[in-house]
Every structure is written in structure tokens, then in C-alpha cells.
Amino acid sequence: MPNIRIIDSITAPGSISRANEDSAGGNATCAFVIDGATGLGGDSLVGLHGSDAAWLARFAQSTFEELARNGRPMTDVVRELNQRAANVVHEAAPALPIEPWNLPVASFQMVRIEGDDIVTHGLGDCRLFLLGADGSTFSTSAIKGASAQERDGARTAIAHAGGFATHQALADAPGVREELRRHRAAYNRQGGSVWTLGIEPSAAEHLVTERLEPSLPARGLLCSDGFAALVDQYGRYDIAEFVGAANTAGLAPLLAELRHIELTEDPDGKQFPRFKVSDDATAVLFEIVA
């Protein structure tokens, strides 16, 4: 049976003035990354960890570490996690009318050992990059093409809001915020295309699962989209180079390079359109051996 081991991990907020809404973790059979979706201006429902998204990221981390073991099906894990989260939200805000766009949601990507199989599970736009012993590469996300969609949306938002000189996060611009609220309100709805961690247990039915067959020993990176931008948005690495750099020098130099691009090379978002000057960035470097 294969074994998984976490080698390194790193997480950093996109701004010192905002909560870090990412998290990461693992146990004896899995490793994962979680990316809470930044709120869009509504009242906090749970009131913990600086934002509902930060609360959900930490809640999901501890719940995955508890439940994603002993061969329990991931659909059951996600269903129970979301039911538990729903209970907390409704107990914390029993009398508040909750707009659909204000519900806490989060993406995740996980690599898990299931018997003799290596499997990845995900919801949302977190990323997996995998490098096999033979040099073969693989990458995936539960939402295919998410980075291109985000880039196109950010380009439009920057033009509408006037860039980062006015708003360090474009979601703070009223016109952009209303459009983002409209999109967020469609999450976790029957007939919709985006399903996440949050308060909807039926999201488990939309879990994206892929079997992995890398040449072992293999190494990989699980990333929030903020860290994966080094590949997906800024084009600084291909998959093999990205995993190789993390394996050789660790994750801290990659985070430093990411922030240098965002804060020094392209602080106005003209070269690399994005919704924030810097997003929360989280990565887990792991190894799978036979």
C-alpha cells in the first residue's frame, strides 16, 4: 500500500489587514489544502477567526483530519462536514436573514491513500501538481479552467473599478461587488456548476474524484489558487519546475517570489489581472512512496 508524507507547508495572508482564509493539513492517509472565499461585505455570521471564510477553513481542516481516515468514503466526509458547518451557522445566527451570497464557502483539494489506490478529491478551485519518479507530470482542479475564468473576470473588474490605486481588493468596489455577489449566490444550487465546502450537505454529490497513477516515489504540491498563481497566472514555472523548486529549496522562496511579482513587478495588476494585489497563499509539499 502506498504511503503519503507531508514534507513542507506554508501559508500567508494576502494582506496584514485581513484574516488568512486558507488552511492546510493532513493525517496518516491524506494531505489537503483549503481556500475560504473572502466575504462580500455582509455581516459575519459565526464571528470567529476574523471572518466566516477563515472560520470555515479552520473548521474544515480539523474536520478533515478527524473524519478522512479508516477508509471512510469522501462523499460521507464532505456531507458530514457541511452538515456540521450548517449547524454552527444556523445556531450562531438563528434570527438573521442570510443572503445566499453571504454564506461561508471554501474550496479544497486533497490527495488520499485509499487501500492500494492514490486518489485526489476536490471542490472549487484549489490545485494539485504532481511529479512522478519517471518525470511524468499531472495537474488538476475540481473546476477546470478556473484560472482563465478568474483572469478574464479580473480584467473586466480592473477596468470597471479603476485598478488597485482605488481599491486594494476589487470586491470593495460597489459595482464589482454586486457582480461577485450575483455569482456567489449561485453556488451550491441545483443546476449550478460550482459546489463547495459550506453549509450544503448535497455538495458531496458533486465531489470531483480522480484516480492518480504516478510512478513512485512521487512528489507533489497542493495549493490554494493564490499560491498556484506562480504557474497558472504568472507563468513562472511548468509543473515539473514548480514541484522541483519546492522540493529543492522549500516553499518559502516560492512565496517570496510570488509576493515580489505582486508587490514589485506588477502592483497595479496591468500585466497580470487579478481581484486583489495579493491573495492568501498556501501550499503543501508531499511525497508518496510505495
Side-chain angles (χ1 to χ4, degrees):
M1 178 168 56
N3 291 286
I4 189 168
R5 178 175 69 95
I6 293 175
I7 300 170
D8 191 12
S9 65
I10 198 166
T11 186
S15 168
I16 60 173
S17 65
R18 295 175 181 260
N20 186 348
E21 295 168 336
D22 287 356
S23 67
N27 59 33
T29 59
C30 72
F32 57 83
V33 66
I34 299 166
D35 181 356
T38 299
L40 298 174
D43 293 331
S44 175
L45 302 175
V46 179
L48 296 172
H49 301 295
S51 75
D52 288 339
W55 163 76
L56 179 59
R58 286 150 184 78
F59 181 87
Q61 174 190 350
S62 61
T63 304
F64 275 153
E65 290 176 341
E66 174 195 353
L67 299 182
R69 58 176 70 243
N70 300 324
R72 184 171 182 181
M74 274 305 296
T75 51
D76 289 353
V77 173
V78 170
R79 186 176 294 108
E80 180 166 342
L81 188 160
N82 280 10
Q83 185 59 64
R84 289 184 183 185
N87 293 343
V88 173
V89 168
H90 291 306
E91 288 172 8
L96 288 178
I98 304 175
E99 296 285 353
W101 53 260
N102 199 32
L103 291 168
V105 294
S107 302
F108 87 96
Q109 195 72 38
M110 175 185 288
V111 172
R112 190 180 187 209
I113 307 302
E114 299 181 356
D116 292 329
D117 294 330
I118 306 167
V119 181
T120 185
H121 303 281
L123 290 169
D125 61 2
C126 291
R127 296 280 273 130
L128 166 65
F129 302 95
L130 191 62
L131 175 63
D134 60 358
S136 61
T137 60
F138 173 81
S139 71
T140 194
S141 175
I143 301 179
K144 314 304 180 189
S147 60
Q149 295 172 23
E150 172 131 344
R151 185 166 53 248
D152 291 344
R155 185 177 291 109
T156 300
I158 286 174
H160 180 89
F164 293 135
T166 306
H167 301 281
Q168 291 291 292
L170 297 182
D172 294 336
V176 175
R177 176 175 289 178
E178 289 307 311
E179 182 66 12
L180 292 174
R181 285 178 173 181
R182 185 179 67 82
H183 282 285
R184 184 78 58 85
Y187 287 10
N188 301 307
R189 296 290 186 93
Q190 292 301 325
S193 60
V194 178
W195 294 85
T196 69
L197 301 178
I199 71 162
E200 182 48 69
S202 65
E205 299 165 12
H206 301 270
L207 187 68
V208 177
T209 297
E210 298 171 81
R211 184 176 175 180
L212 308 174
E213 297 182 337
S215 175
L216 301 181
R219 295 206 170 187
L221 283 169
L222 289 157
C223 305
S224 64
D225 64 336
F227 201 99
L230 281 167
V231 173
D232 293 334
Q233 303 291 2
Y234 310 148
R236 295 302 167 94
Y237 298 92
D238 63 22
I239 298 169
E241 292 167 343
F242 195 39
V243 178
N247 188 50
T248 300
L251 295 171
L254 289 171
L255 178 62
E257 181 179 7
L258 177 77
R259 295 305 190 223
H260 181 79
I261 294 168
E262 296 164 344
L263 301 176
T264 303
E265 294 184 24
D266 186 42
D268 55 11
K270 291 181 179 179
Q271 183 177 358
F272 303 115
R274 53 197 189 274
F275 281 98
K276 305 173 187 175
V277 175
S278 292
D279 197 0
D280 301 336
T282 300
V284 176
L285 174 66
F286 63 90
E287 179 182 47
I288 302 172
V289 299

